[in-house]
């Protein structure tokens, strides 16, 4: 474990250019010192690619070889750009631009638009999908949400591959894209979409790049100006460059060749948007004199995590797989990855929250833990579970920290306090810097303990707590520092967009986690349908999903938890199965081609263990239901005649609708009266407590213990928790209608 101690938050800035090189291995050093001409680094996850290029920039700047303002470092996500700025700053390389392609292009576009076109840059459209819907309607097409999303993705793909509407059908066929509708229809929607935007004077995200490219192509004077400003280019995650971004890069570069690219074809996860690893893999063909460096030592993850990562990629196929580099861990041994299966998503989220609490209790800082999922819609269940478990979390990326209103206000207050000498009587007893900061921020709503629940109050508190934490680290690193020094530090960080680590568990999508790392990573929802996602149909699309899992696995330094749920909601049909990408890698899944011997069986399958203070009902029910449930529920049979049941209502009843009922009428009536009281108390409709079918099934079974009760469809963990004791008491003949 590498806890984010104060010294790691404020590492000493290397005192010379040579000192910058000290933290690199020989291959990385070769990258860092090759400051002229084309350089290409091909290497797997965690091998120090980002480290090599940030050190390269820092070394060049510190040695006086590169002028900071002439360097442009580009990457793909705001988080990654923020991370890069932070690393550069820690190495003493300030003034270097590190941005996403979009942010860099947008800045240039805003600057040159008045001269190139006149007037102000058009507004960027807020809800693109809405405009696509209007365009579809204008073409006489009614698309459902899924189709709209697919058609929008096609339009985006067309734009980043610089394909106009008239050429879409031919280009899509050539690229082997499975168009979600008739390509001619998509082309018409695309055409009308562009027209609608023009009429409204708005542009979209892709237009930002297209327009920048257009201006640089058409206006040699502007291109010259941009090239005079930027002379050295560095691209991280180059495997995810789109043809349009590549074009922009070429225009920035002009006839020069001071370009350094790093990437890992095995982490290509944006090809659905038109990105391709071909530019990375063909770099040497385009630049015959390039310095090419390969890195294989994995400094990030333990041998256990690396083995699983190699296993996931070991089964890959396609061009990226041909360039596979087996990772070799440099870290000491750690715990085996853990795999856990749960009955439903809320139980899975509860399980993750419980394990996270355990990790925090064992000393892993919350900010060093991440929960990663395939779709953003999965986030909410985890937000809820973490809030219920009293675990702080954050959703927002690093980029906007200093723009948050509460942070701006807090810095403003700290500045005002510093102006008063930081010892205003209002600040009371506080004698040290962190104490002063806490006193100032308590006026803004900071409290020693977080507010209950989730929501905006909690987010605000997390921001303030991050500032307090930062102040503590700052004071520990510089004991003599005064409040004014801290304010200067905050200003510098804000200018460099170097956000402090918010001390909360990160909830993020796998796509947005690219390039980042945490001590502990929870990969959740790893089922067929999520990974690969249902709409991944072609082999290439499925391979991309596999790489996404590889990206997820390789985010973990030490602790890795992989989990899935057999059904979505409590009591739902357990018809899901773990992702095929785990076949042969997770315990109990047999061995698949490419599986590493010794891995299967090593992790120990945890079926939603009930450890951690769960009460007896939950513990007993969960322990029992976990293993056999899947086999028991996959084929539901009528308990009277034995016929296989497929109707949802009959499955809830556990018998055919017309097979004789053996219901205990008395229990049924008492359950109904009790349900009415419950519904009234909680202000919900009665069926939200239990449906009629579930009540009938309970009255037919008359369960004697939580285990039997939990077996009844419609009785999920949450309901068991809430109503289990009452229902069992009624079944045992007690009247609970009036009971509390
Ligand atoms: P990804 O493919 O996920 O983007 P990467 O190749 O960019 O990974 P980095 O993020 O640069 O890898 O490095 C992974 C981790 O290993 C970081 O914590 C980094 O500081 C550490 N690391 C890299 N190289 C070294 C080294 N030579 N000595 C010590 N630690 C290193
Ligand atoms: Mg990286």
């Amino acid at each position: 474990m590498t806890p984010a101690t104060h010294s790691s938050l404020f590492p000493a800035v290397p005192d010379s250019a040579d000192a910058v090189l000290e933290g690199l291995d020989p291959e990385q050093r070769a990258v860092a010192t090759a400051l002229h001409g084309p350089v290409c680094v091909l290497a797997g996850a965690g091998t120090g690619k980002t480290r090599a290029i940030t050190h390269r920039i820092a070394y060049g700047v510190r040695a006086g070889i590169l002028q900071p303002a002439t360097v442009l470092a580009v990457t793909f996500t705001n988080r990654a750009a923020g991370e890069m700025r932070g690393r550069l700053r820690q190495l003493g390389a300030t003034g270097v631009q590190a941005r996403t392609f979009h942010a860099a292009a947008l800045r240039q576009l805003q600057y040159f638009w008045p001269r190139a076109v006149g007037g102000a840059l058009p507004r960027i459209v807020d809800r693109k999908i809405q405009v696509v819907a209007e365009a579809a309607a204008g073409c006489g097409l009614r698309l459902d949400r899924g189709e709209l999303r697919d058609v929008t993705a096609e339009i985006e793909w067309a734009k980043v591959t610089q394909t106009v509407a008239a050429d879409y059908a031919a280009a899509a066929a050539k690229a082997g894209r499975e168009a979600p509708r008739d390509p001619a229809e998509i082309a018409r929607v695309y055409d009308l979409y562009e027209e609608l935007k023009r009429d409204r004077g708005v542009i979209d995200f892709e237009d930002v790049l297209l327009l920048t490219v257009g201006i640089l192509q058409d206006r040699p004077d502007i291109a010259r100006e941009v090239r005079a400003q930027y002379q050295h280019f560095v691209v991280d995650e180059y495997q995810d460059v789109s043809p349009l971004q590549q074009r922009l890069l070429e225009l920035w570069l002009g006839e020069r060749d001071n370009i350094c690219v790093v990437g890992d074809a095995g982490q290509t996860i944006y090809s659905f948007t038109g990105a391709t690893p071909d530019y990375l893999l063909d770099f040497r063909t385009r630049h015959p004199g390039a310095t090419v460096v390969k890195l294989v030592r994995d400094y990030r993850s333990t041998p256990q995590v690396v083995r699983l990562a190699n296993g996931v990629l070991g089964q890959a196929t396609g061009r990226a797989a041909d360039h596979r580099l087996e990772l070799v861990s440099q870290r000491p041994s750690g715990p085996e990855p853990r795999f856990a299966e749960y009955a439903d998503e809320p139980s899975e989220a509860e399980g993750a929250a419980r394990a996270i609490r355990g990790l925090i209790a064992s000393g892993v800082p919350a900010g060093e833990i991440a929960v990663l999922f395939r779709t953003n819609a999965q986030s909410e269940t985890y937000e809820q579970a973490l809030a219920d478990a009293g675990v702080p979390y954050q959703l927002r990326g690093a980029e906007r920290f200093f723009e948050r209103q509460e942070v701006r206000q807090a810095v403003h207050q700290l500045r005002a306090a510093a102006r008063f000498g930081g010892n205003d009587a209002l600040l009371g007893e506080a004698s040290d810097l962190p104490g002063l900061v806490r006193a100032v921020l308590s006026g803004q709503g900071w409290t020693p303990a977080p507010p209950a629940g989730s929501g905006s109050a909690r987010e605000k508190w997390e921001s303030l707590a991050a500032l307090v934490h930062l102040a503590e680290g700052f004071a520990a690193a510089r004991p003599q520092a005064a409040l004014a020094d801290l304010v200067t530090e905050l200003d510098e960080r804000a200018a460099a967009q170097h956000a402090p680590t918010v001390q909360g568990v990160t909830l993020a999508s796998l796509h947005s986690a690219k390039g980042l790392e945490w001590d502990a990573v929870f990969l959740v929802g790893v089922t067929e349908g999520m990974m690969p996602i249902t709409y991944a149909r072609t082999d290439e699309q499925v391979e991309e999903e596999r790489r996404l899992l590889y990206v997820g696995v390789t985010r973990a330094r030490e602790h890795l938890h992989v989990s899935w749920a057999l059904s979505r909601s409590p009591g739902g049909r357990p018809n899901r199965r773990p992702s095929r990408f785990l076949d042969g890698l997770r315990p109990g899944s047999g061995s698949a081609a490419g599986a590493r011997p010794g891995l299967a069986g090593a992790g120990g399958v945890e079926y939603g263990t009930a450890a951690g203070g769960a009460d007896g009902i939950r513990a007993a029910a969960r322990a029992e239901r976990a293993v056999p449930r899947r086999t028991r529920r996959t084929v539901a049979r009528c308990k009277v005649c034995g016929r296989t049941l497929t109707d949802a209502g009959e499955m809830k009843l556990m018998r055919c609708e017309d097979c004789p009922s053996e219901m205990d009428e008395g229990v049924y009536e008492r359950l109904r009266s009790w349900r009415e009281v419950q519904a009234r108390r909680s202000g919900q409709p009665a069926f939200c407590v239990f449906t009629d079918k579930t009540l009938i099934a309970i009255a037919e079974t008359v369960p004697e213990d939580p285990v039997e009760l939990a077996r009844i469809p419609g009785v999920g963990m949450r309901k068991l928790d809430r109503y289990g004791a009452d229902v069992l008491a009624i079944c045992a003949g007690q009247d609970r209608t009036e009971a509390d």
Side-chain angles (χ1 to χ4, degrees):
M1 188 181 67
T2 52
T5 56
H6 291 145
S7 62
S8 70
L9 283 174
F10 288 88
V13 175
D15 57 12
S16 66
D18 284 342
V20 170
L21 297 180
E22 275 165 20
L24 301 178
D25 69 20
E27 291 81 12
Q28 293 170 334
R29 208 174 281 210
V31 177
T33 50
L35 289 171
H36 293 286
V39 180
C40 173
V41 182
L42 286 164
T47 53
K49 296 183 294 299
T50 304
R51 183 175 170 111
I53 53 170
T54 44
H55 279 66
R56 179 179 183 272
I57 296 169
Y59 172 71
V61 167
R62 302 285 305 270
I65 304 166
L66 305 179
Q67 289 306 310
T70 66
V71 181
L72 179 58
V74 272
T75 181
F76 293 85
T77 64
N78 286 328
R79 280 177 196 237
E83 173 85 12
M84 202 188 272
R85 282 192 290 270
R87 292 194 195 187
L88 284 171
R89 193 169 170 276
Q90 282 166 5
L91 294 168
T94 45
V96 173
Q97 302 282 326
R99 299 182 179 280
T100 62
F101 270 102
H102 270 99
L106 184 59
R107 248 171 84 102
Q108 293 177 10
L109 197 58
Q110 272 163 340
Y111 185 78
F112 290 111
W113 186 268
R115 199 195 318 167
V117 184
L121 182 68
R123 190 173 56 81
I124 297 181
V125 65
D126 297 328
R127 299 193 58 222
K128 174 197 276 178
I129 205 149
Q130 184 62 43
V131 185
V132 176
E134 286 174 46
C139 294
L141 297 175
R142 292 196 61 186
L143 306 180
D144 65 26
R145 265 180 56 196
E147 286 175 315
L148 263 180
R149 188 198 59 220
D150 290 349
V151 170
T152 306
E154 286 308 294
I155 294 175
E156 287 170 357
W157 172 83
K159 295 183 78 166
V160 304
T161 52
Q162 294 176 278
T163 307
V164 293
D167 298 339
Y168 168 77
K174 187 161 172 241
R177 284 183 87 79
E178 219 181 68
R181 301 277 298 206
D182 174 2
E185 279 176 359
I186 296 178
R188 280 196 292 133
V189 177
Y190 175 15
D191 206 27
L192 188 53
Y193 166 76
E194 290 296 313
E195 198 180 312
L196 287 177
K197 275 194 302 126
R198 263 194 311 274
D199 289 351
R200 292 169 193 185
V202 293
I203 57 174
D204 67 18
F205 220 52
E206 288 70 36
D207 289 331
V208 171
L209 295 186
L210 279 165
L211 291 166
T212 312
V213 163
I215 290 176
L216 293 176
Q217 269 172 181
D218 297 349
R219 292 287 299 263
D221 56 324
I222 292 178
R224 254 194 315 277
E225 218 171 296
V226 172
R227 288 175 198 151
Q229 160 91 60
Y230 297 114
Q231 300 175 16
H232 293 269
F233 298 88
V234 176
V235 189
D236 200 359
E237 311 271 2
Y238 190 53
Q239 75 278 354
D240 277 322
V241 77
S242 72
L244 183 55
Q245 288 162 333
Q246 174 66 21
R247 180 75 195 119
L248 183 59
L249 195 57
E250 284 162 7
L251 285 164
W252 282 338
L253 205 54
E255 297 300 309
R256 304 162 300 173
D257 65 355
N258 282 328
I259 176 165
C260 170
V261 299
V262 310
D264 173 10
Q267 291 186 70
T268 306
I269 55 172
Y270 281 96
S271 34
F272 67 99
T273 66
T276 162
D278 292 347
Y279 297 108
L280 172 72
L281 298 174
D282 298 335
F283 189 83
R284 209 211 292 250
T285 319
R286 278 180 292 119
H287 299 277
T291 307
V292 177
V293 180
K294 295 193 175 176
L295 311 172
V296 289
R297 297 184 200 91
D298 183 323
Y299 292 97
R300 176 180 295 145
S301 311
T302 61
Q304 287 76 9
V305 171
V306 166
R307 194 158 13 139
L308 181 59
N310 283 334
V312 169
L313 216 54
Q315 302 178 26
T317 57
R319 185 166 192 213
D322 298 340
H323 294 262
R324 179 166 47 233
L325 297 165
E326 188 100 341
L327 298 173
V328 184
S329 171
Q330 304 299 301
R331 291 193 45 147
S333 196
E336 286 291 344
R338 289 163 70 174
F339 297 86
E341 177 170 286
Y342 293 91
D344 49 65
E345 282 180 11
S347 311
E348 184 184 4
E350 263 175 53
R354 208 172 325 113
I356 287 170
R357 264 175 52 155
L359 284 173
I360 294 173
S362 75
V364 182
E368 287 299 336
I369 302 174
V371 177
L372 305 180
F373 31 75
R374 176 66 182 82
T375 66
N376 282 315
Q378 288 164 275
S379 173
E380 208 192 324
T381 316
Y382 288 86
E383 285 172 49
Q384 191 61 53
L386 290 174
D388 286 352
V391 173
Y393 67 86
Q394 51 149 344
L395 287 168
R396 297 187 286 188
E399 182 77 346
R400 291 168 300 162
F401 183 84
F402 285 104
E403 285 161 27
R404 294 180 195 170
Q405 202 195 356
E406 69 268 20
V407 174
R408 294 223 300 249
Q409 268 171 8
V411 174
H412 180 76
Q413 293 298 332
L414 289 169
R415 193 187 318 281
R419 226 176 283 133
F420 282 111
N423 55 3
D424 191 280
L426 283 173
L427 302 181
E429 308 290 296
S431 57
D432 59 352
L433 178 56
L436 279 174
V437 170
R438 281 191 289 266
V440 173
L441 297 189
S442 51
Q444 302 289 302
W446 179 81
T447 46
S454 49
S456 62
R458 178 60 180 254
E459 287 207 340
K460 182 176 168 199
W461 184 89
E462 295 291 354
S463 298
L464 299 179
L467 287 172
V468 169
H469 188 69
L470 190 139
E472 287 163 355
F474 185 73
R478 295 176 218 168
Q480 305 304 325
L483 190 54
D485 300 318
L486 177 70
V487 172
T488 308
E489 166 80 14
L490 292 174
D491 287 342
E492 281 175 11
R493 280 179 177 246
Q497 286 286 4
H498 178 197
T501 316
V502 175
Q503 278 308 303
V505 171
T506 298
L507 292 177
S509 73
L510 284 160
H511 279 101
S512 72
K514 199 164 82 145
L516 306 182
E517 59 187 28
W518 292 270
D519 283 344
V521 168
F522 287 74
L523 298 180
V524 299
V526 189
T527 57
E528 283 291 300
M530 275 297 174
M531 248 184 286
I533 192 108
T534 14
Y535 48 81
R537 287 179 227 114
T538 63
D539 287 352
E540 290 90 66
Q541 287 167 341
V542 170
E543 282 307 307
E544 179 134 316
E545 297 285 309
R546 186 195 308 280
R547 293 192 293 267
L548 198 51
L549 179 63
Y550 172 74
V551 168
V553 168
T554 53
R555 298 310 96 200
R557 294 195 191 105
E558 188 175 352
H559 304 275
L560 180 63
H561 291 237
V562 183
S563 63
W564 57 90
L566 298 178
S567 81
R568 177 147 183 258
S569 320
R573 280 183 63 188
N575 53 1
R576 296 184 174 175
R577 65 173 220 88
S579 166
R580 71 188 77 164
F581 304 139
L582 298 176
D583 287 353
L585 299 174
R586 68 182 166 86
S589 61
S591 70
R596 297 286 171 277
L599 185 66
V605 185
E606 304 174 356
Y607 288 99
T609 53
D615 66 34
I617 290 186
R618 299 165 62 78
R622 188 176 271 135
E624 200 282 323
R625 89 190 293 179
V627 183
R629 187 177 168 165
R630 196 143 61 110
T631 38
R632 187 176 63 234
R633 291 269 176 93
T634 36
V635 182
R637 290 185 191 283
C638 171
K639 65 183 175 186
V640 182
C641 72
R643 186 175 71 86
T644 303
L645 301 175
T646 49
D647 175 83
E650 292 190 336
M651 285 168 73
K652 273 205 161 154
L653 276 179
M654 301 194 288
R655 63 169 167 81
C656 306
E657 197 92 52
D658 44 12
C659 270
S661 162
E662 307 150 22
M663 184 166 74
D664 182 324
E665 298 286 345
V667 168
Y668 181 65
E669 282 313 317
R670 286 202 297 279
L671 282 171
R672 282 180 63 92
S673 318
W674 164 84
R675 180 177 68 172
E676 235 175 270
V677 175
Q678 290 301 322
R680 224 178 302 125
R681 269 187 201 156
S682 60
Q684 298 175 317
F687 70 83
C688 288
V689 179
F690 282 120
T691 62
D692 283 351
K693 292 236 154 72
T694 303
L695 284 196
I696 293 171
I698 295 173
E700 288 181 349
T701 314
V702 195
E704 288 184 351
D705 58 37
V707 172
E708 274 181 40
L709 179 59
R711 269 200 204 126
I712 295 171
V715 186
M717 266 318 150
R718 271 166 200 272
K719 294 200 177 171
L720 194 64
D721 244 4
R722 210 157 158 195
Y723 305 126
D726 275 6
V727 171
L728 288 171
I730 293 169
C731 291
Q734 300 164 21
D735 190 349
R736 298 292 281 204
T737 0
E738 297 311 317
D740 186 17

